Amino acid sequence: MGDLGFIFLALVISYVPIIYQAFSRRELRISLLDSRAGSPPTAVELLHRNCVGKTVEELRMLLHDWEVWCADILESHLSYPILAFYRSQHDQQSWVEALTVILDTCALILTAIDGVPVAPARFTFAMARHGVVDLAQVLNTTPIKGVNRLSSTEFTRLQDMLAVSGIRLKEGTALEQKLAELRATYEPFVNALADRPGFPPTLDPSSRYCR
């Protein structure tokens, strides 16, 4: 039994650096989101700071970086689910919130924004949605439907804020419906993760498009 005890202790100690490295990678990108999307971060602010006066290539690189981050979150948190319960080191930061903002941003690009790269947003959205769905299942949460995170009034305000920022919107009257349909593919899982018992305090994701 003594030998088994030492083996168990050695295994625990060997896992500590791995978990810390995964946590550090996660938090580094979340901290960078402050300068890119404000504090607390929002999709509209991310688009405003990274579209106006910027090149298309810069936004493409930003979306790619977040695609890689989402893949890393998926692999690390599936391998070590305990990471999901580790709180961020700074106020108003959360991996659930960051994941939500990236999904919201990609959803806006795919449905309502004109003149920005669609392919990178599609890839990042697919990776982020894959992550949020799988993690919601692994963490034993039940999708929460029926929560409207963006009312018609808020959508109109969102459009106005984007227009003021110099971001061109696609023409048509079905933008809100298209966005709602895309949001429905991930929001129930986001709501479930935000409401997960035992999680560190998570900012309410009910308003993550604009302040």
Side-chain angles (χ1 to χ4, degrees):
M1 293 297 292
D3 289 341
L4 289 176
F6 281 116
I7 292 173
F8 177 76
L9 181 60
L11 287 173
V12 171
I13 292 174
S14 67
Y15 275 119
V16 171
I18 297 174
I19 292 176
Y20 177 74
Q21 289 171 9
F23 174 75
S24 296
R25 289 196 307 271
R26 185 188 80 184
E27 294 304 302
L28 174 62
R29 181 63 60 182
I30 293 175
S31 294
L32 290 173
L33 195 61
D34 268 9
S35 62
R36 289 289 189 175
S39 181
T42 66
V44 168
E45 189 64 22
L46 191 151
L47 287 167
H48 168 68
R49 295 188 184 187
N50 297 279
C51 278
V52 179
K54 307 290 184 179
T55 65
V56 170
E57 185 60 29
E58 185 169 343
L59 181 59
R60 189 190 308 274
M61 291 174 60
L62 177 68
L63 292 172
H64 174 71
D65 287 346
W66 279 102
E67 179 188 357
V68 173
W69 180 84
C70 291
D72 188 49
I73 285 286
L74 175 61
E75 294 304 317
S76 61
H77 287 51
L78 287 181
S79 299
Y80 308 102
I82 189 65
L83 281 168
F85 296 86
Y86 282 27
R87 71 171 65 227
S88 294
Q89 296 175 323
H90 304 284
D91 292 337
Q92 298 188 341
Q93 289 186 358
S94 159
W95 69 268
V96 176
E97 177 189 48
L99 197 54
T100 304
V101 170
I102 298 307
L103 283 162
D104 290 345
T105 301
C106 291
L108 281 171
I109 292 174
L110 293 173
T111 59
I113 309 300
D114 195 15
V116 296
V118 174
R122 185 180 297 114
F123 295 143
T124 303
F125 180 86
M127 189 68 255
R129 184 183 179 278
H130 183 189
V132 78
V133 171
D134 281 15
L135 288 171
Q137 293 174 346
V138 167
L139 295 169
N140 297 318
T141 64
T142 301
I144 300 176
K145 300 180 180 180
V147 178
N148 186 8
R149 297 178 56 241
L150 190 66
S151 66
S152 293
T153 300
E154 290 170 334
F155 179 74
T156 300
R157 187 166 73 92
L158 179 150
Q159 289 179 299
D160 292 340
M161 292 177 68
L162 289 174
V164 169
S165 297
I167 298 173
R168 300 195 307 272
L169 301 178
K170 294 179 181 178
E171 297 182 358
T173 59
L175 296 183
E176 184 177 0
Q177 180 60 34
K178 290 179 180 178
L179 179 59
E181 291 173 357
L182 197 56
R183 286 166 43 212
T185 66
Y186 67 87
E187 285 189 347
F189 303 98
V190 166
N191 295 331
L193 288 172
D195 196 51
R196 173 65 161 81
F199 264 27
T202 300
L203 293 179
D204 181 4
S206 61
S207 180
R208 282 292 169 270
Y209 288 90
C210 53
R211 296 190 189 92

